[in-house]
Amino acid sequence: MSINFQSKSEKVTTDVLIIGGGPSGLATAIHLADTLKKNGTSQRILLIEKGSAIGSHNMSGAVVKPDVFRELLPDVDFSEIPFNAQVSTDKTIMLKEDESISLPFHVPYMSNKGNYTASLGNLCRYLATKAQEKGVEIYTGFAVDEIMYRDGKVCGAKTKDTGVDHHGHPMDNFQAGNIIEAKVTILAEGTRGSLTKMLINKYNLAEGKNIQVYSLGCKELWSVPEGNIKPGEVYHTMGYPLGKDEFGGGFIYGLNDNKVAIGLVVGLDYIDPSFDVHDAMQIWKTTPFVSKILKGGKLVEYGAKTLPEGGWYALPKLYVDNALIVGDSAGFVTMPALKGIHLAMKSGMLAAQTVSEALMKNDTSEKILSKYEALIKESVIYKEMYPVRNFRQAMAKGMFVGGFHFATQLITGGAGFCGRLQSHADAETTSKLNEFKGKPFNQRFKNKLEFDKILTFDKATDIYHSGVFHDEQQVVHLQINDIKDFERVNIEQYGAIEQFLCSSEVYELHTNKDGKKELRIHAENCMHCKTCDIKSPGKGITWVVPNGGNGPDFQNM
Ligand SMILES: Cc1cc2nc3c(=O)[nH]c(=O)nc-3n(C[C@H](O)[C@H](O)[C@H](O)COP(=O)(O)OP(=O)(O)OC[C@H]3O[C@@H](n4cnc5c(N)ncnc54)[C@H](O)[C@@H]3O)c2cc1C
């Protein structure tokens, strides 16, 4: 029986509900189907994805560690997996405005020997086909906006009502969301998952953990003349245009067919309230090292996304009665390596193993599901994340002090000389306008902010290359939590920081005819990166899911 999404709300029942069709959700689905089959049973597995198609909301670098694919799909011929090129050159470049120095060594954890470049969208499309072959039901274009509870325990989720106007009133095309009852619900929503956030708050799952911190990555896919870069050439850059208080760097990944994926990833703990990651990436592209690779080329696609980088100490409790959290929603990323795909998939496989045992026992209580956390601690996830458990907190102290701390961590197995380092919420690290001591971003780079639309692009041009679309009629999905607080804090004290932190021009500062400043929200541009939910100061902004099928339409990101 398939799900019937009609105007009248329906109740659907399944054994397992997976929310999110990225690598973590798809690996969960595949491994669960396989494990159940091995145990001689079959149960209904349903996966819901908000993108209009699998892959349309998935963006990554990406250089991928391939072993997890062999483990997940042992019967598949490896050459069938749609990786791009095997890494052939792997260098770290120190950038200055007009110079570049190739480091003669690998920064620890940055080696990409044996890894492959890839488009995450392509990998997800492939994994979805494999999941469907194994009987997993995949529904795309449906956003899940509510977790359902019975007797205080998770019992499934609900898809979003559509066909409502700006005020939330039903229109002629109203469609009530469907209630999906499940024995187990798996949250695989990716970075800063909106349901995951609710679950963490409801059950206090982050108690005693470090605060999760994030980076924002802006990426462009280019087509370049033959010879500019070879498939498998991989470069990571440090330095310009980032200053000593900004953590991050650039990536350049050579792909087949004369394509190159480039991007700049910057920690959202920066302090300058006018810092702009999108514009910083454009400035980065003007350096001789990067511009030479792009010369004569053409922009193909653009996207932006955050990634969780708080590391081991920022992982929430991963299970409650009838529910588990996997992938970026939990925070499985090793930041020094800029890698999360293989960890997302491995966490999905371990969740699947736990859930299949729970279903066999007919007991999905948190006592049984706690095995998931135990499995994580015995896995490659722990092995990769624990030794760098203090890395990102150290880097928050600036590249120089942070670099020193990191060196001490390398010789002490990750402990450093100070033990567990704490983190601070990204929204709280920004300086108020009148307290910021440095040179604001637009003065630091005042001669570099005219974009030529050949090498460098304004946000409007880049957004056009993301295929982003949102229904005009719906409640705005970027919700200002307290308008008075917002005007006093965000606009007055921080100079409407949202207009700079958003890399898809959602927020515009407008002065009305009475001279009052207000923020206009162009929700239709939203790339679903969640930066505003993370970095807005004060009571801030809450990102909720818009209508299913809305958002970017990535092809090869
Ligand atoms: C700029 C950048 C570069 C990166 N480079 C690399 C790299 O080179 N190598 C590497 O290994 N990792 C890299 N990463 C990290 C990697 O991309 C992530 O760790 C990985 O994609 C996490 O997978 P996931 O399945 O948890 O989340 P995602 O890939 O984000 O997938 C989550 C899915 O859930 C869907 N979803 C979310 N909420 C809902 C909802 N409420 N209802 C329905 N569907 C929903 C989303 O649309 C999405 O498709 C990079 C990340 C970024 C941002």
Side-chain angles (χ1 to χ4, degrees):
M1 190 196 78
S2 64
I3 296 188
N4 197 7
F5 288 98
Q6 289 182 357
S7 59
K8 198 160 170 283
S9 191
E10 289 217 343
K11 196 197 271 183
V12 176
T13 49
T14 181
D15 297 297
V16 180
L17 169 64
I18 299 167
I19 302 169
S24 62
L26 291 162
T28 309
I30 291 173
H31 198 57
L32 186 56
D34 280 348
T35 316
L36 290 169
K37 191 173 171 200
K38 222 179 264 170
N39 293 338
T41 160
S42 132
Q43 311 237 10
R44 190 174 190 194
I45 306 168
L46 212 141
L47 185 148
I48 307 266
E49 163 58 45
K50 68 178 162 59
S52 59
I54 291 289
S56 65
H57 285 187
N58 301 101
M59 184 197 113
S60 192
V63 171
V64 185
K65 284 191 163 189
D67 288 352
V68 71
F69 283 82
R70 295 192 177 95
E71 206 187 327
L72 178 70
L73 300 165
D75 301 331
V76 157
D77 180 357
F78 185 75
S79 64
E80 189 191 288
I81 302 168
F83 287 117
N84 207 281
Q86 187 161 23
V87 174
S88 53
T89 304
D90 180 17
K91 293 206 164 120
T92 305
I93 310 292
M94 184 51 92
L95 278 189
K96 291 191 177 163
E97 187 175 353
D98 292 315
E99 281 178 62
S100 59
I101 301 162
S102 175
L103 298 185
F105 55 87
H106 275 298
V107 176
Y109 303 99
M110 290 274 287
S111 168
N112 281 300
K113 196 162 174 243
N115 294 344
Y116 287 80
T117 59
S119 140
L120 181 59
N122 270 344
L123 290 177
C124 287
R125 281 186 281 272
Y126 172 78
L127 291 175
T129 313
K130 291 285 147 201
Q132 281 170 322
E133 281 169 12
K134 292 169 194 289
V136 175
E137 293 171 58
I138 296 181
Y139 295 91
T140 58
F142 294 96
V144 183
D145 71 340
E146 205 180 327
I147 299 176
M148 308 297 294
Y149 299 93
R150 188 180 302 119
D151 303 329
K153 294 177 182 173
V154 176
C155 66
K158 183 175 166 290
T159 60
K160 191 177 170 86
D161 295 343
T162 57
V164 298
D165 67 14
H166 280 100
H167 307 287
H169 299 142
M171 302 185 300
D172 290 347
N173 60 344
F174 177 75
Q175 284 202 316
N178 283 267
I179 293 167
I180 306 170
E181 277 202 355
K183 290 180 192 158
V184 184
T185 301
I186 300 196
L187 296 174
E189 297 179 287
T191 179
R192 191 75 162 190
S194 44
L195 301 171
T196 310
K197 202 171 136 187
M198 293 176 200
L199 193 84
I200 289 174
N201 288 340
K202 182 174 171 75
Y203 293 112
N204 218 1
L205 303 181
E207 191 181 12
K209 312 286 180 164
N210 274 9
I211 292 166
Q212 186 56 277
V213 294
Y214 297 83
S215 267
L216 169 63
C218 287
K219 172 179 170 181
E220 289 176 354
L221 181 69
W222 279 63
S223 177
V224 292
E226 189 156 2
N228 282 24
I229 186 166
K230 289 197 204 67
E233 272 184 56
V234 163
Y235 301 100
H236 289 102
T237 74
M238 296 162 73
Y240 189 85
L242 305 182
K244 66 176 176 36
D245 293 325
E246 288 133 13
F247 168 74
F251 63 85
I252 302 168
Y253 300 155
L255 307 172
N256 292 326
D257 303 324
N258 300 316
K259 298 276 190 325
V260 55
I262 60 161
L264 188 73
V265 179
V266 183
L268 289 178
D269 56 348
Y270 59 77
I271 57 175
D272 176 358
S274 65
F275 191 85
D276 189 319
V277 180
H278 170 275
D279 288 4
M281 177 172 77
Q282 303 310 313
I283 295 162
W284 171 76
K285 288 193 292 177
T286 65
T287 57
F289 184 81
V290 185
S291 62
K292 196 170 150 222
I293 291 171
L294 301 179
K295 197 169 178 355
K298 206 167 149 270
L299 173 66
V300 180
E301 276 198 74
Y302 168 77
K305 194 159 202 195
T306 53
L307 66 157
E309 55 182 40
W312 185 258
Y313 287 136
L315 296 175
K317 185 180 160 200
L318 301 167
Y319 57 92
V320 294
D321 284 310
N322 312 332
L324 294 174
I325 309 172
V326 298
D328 272 15
S329 285
F332 294 124
V333 170
T334 47
M335 199 49 209
L338 186 62
K339 300 270 179 306
I341 294 170
H342 67 296
L343 302 182
M345 291 174 65
K346 183 70 192 178
S347 69
M349 291 176 70
L350 298 176
Q353 187 182 328
T354 309
V355 169
S356 90
E357 283 173 28
L359 290 174
M360 297 296 284
K361 288 185 181 136
N362 208 12
D363 180 355
T364 53
S365 65
E366 81 160 32
K367 186 164 171 252
I368 299 292
L369 295 187
S370 67
K371 177 156 185 207
Y372 171 51
E373 220 165 80
L375 290 174
I376 297 272
K377 283 192 184 137
E378 290 163 11
S379 76
V380 64
I381 299 180
Y382 177 85
K383 280 199 195 96
E384 289 194 15
M385 289 185 76
Y386 194 69
V388 291
R389 60 197 177 280
N390 279 311
F391 168 77
R392 188 59 186 86
Q393 301 93 298
M395 286 302 168
K397 297 176 193 303
M399 287 297 236
F400 299 119
V401 180
F404 170 74
H405 272 275
F406 188 38
T408 70
Q409 291 165 18
L410 286 172
I411 52 173
T412 55
F417 295 152
C418 307
R420 175 174 167 179
L421 298 176
Q422 297 296 324
S423 55
H424 304 281
D426 292 323
E428 288 166 14
T429 57
T430 328
S431 287
K432 291 180 184 155
L433 279 182
N434 64 1
E435 288 170 1
F436 182 59
K437 299 272 188 301
K439 225 180 185 187
F441 183 82
N442 56 6
Q443 285 180 33
R444 242 162 92 190
F445 299 108
K446 68 169 179 272
N447 301 327
K448 301 248 172 198
L449 294 169
E450 290 290 321
F451 301 130
D452 65 5
K453 297 202 182 186
I454 299 168
L455 174 66
T456 55
F457 302 99
D458 52 24
K459 288 181 186 173
T461 309
D462 259 334
I463 297 160
Y464 173 77
H465 288 84
S466 70
V468 69
F469 159 84
H470 286 83
D471 296 331
E472 218 172 282
Q473 291 288 354
Q474 60 180 309
V475 177
V476 173
H477 73 280
L478 303 145
Q479 300 177 345
I480 292 180
N481 294 322
D482 177 335
I483 189 72
K484 286 270 168 278
D485 176 84
F486 196 86
E487 285 168 2
R488 187 178 56 80
V489 178
N490 292 45
I491 296 182
E492 280 174 31
Q493 298 176 356
Y494 289 88
I497 177 177
E498 287 75 14
Q499 60 187 320
F500 308 112
L501 64 80
C502 176
S503 48
S504 44
E505 225 164 43
V506 167
Y507 301 98
E508 180 196 354
L509 186 63
H510 173 75
T511 309
N512 73 14
K513 57 182 182 338
D514 305 323
K516 190 178 167 216
K517 287 184 173 156
E518 58 192 20
L519 206 65
R520 288 192 169 164
I521 299 183
H522 302 285
E524 67 277 10
N525 289 348
C526 178
M527 209 71 64
H528 298 196
C529 74
K530 325 261 180 86
T531 307
C532 54
D533 190 285
I534 296 164
K535 185 71 175 164
S536 290
K539 293 187 181 159
I541 290 172
T542 298
W543 187 98
V544 299
V545 271
N547 286 351
N550 287 190
D553 186 19
F554 299 143
Q555 304 298 312
N556 282 300
M557 297 291 266

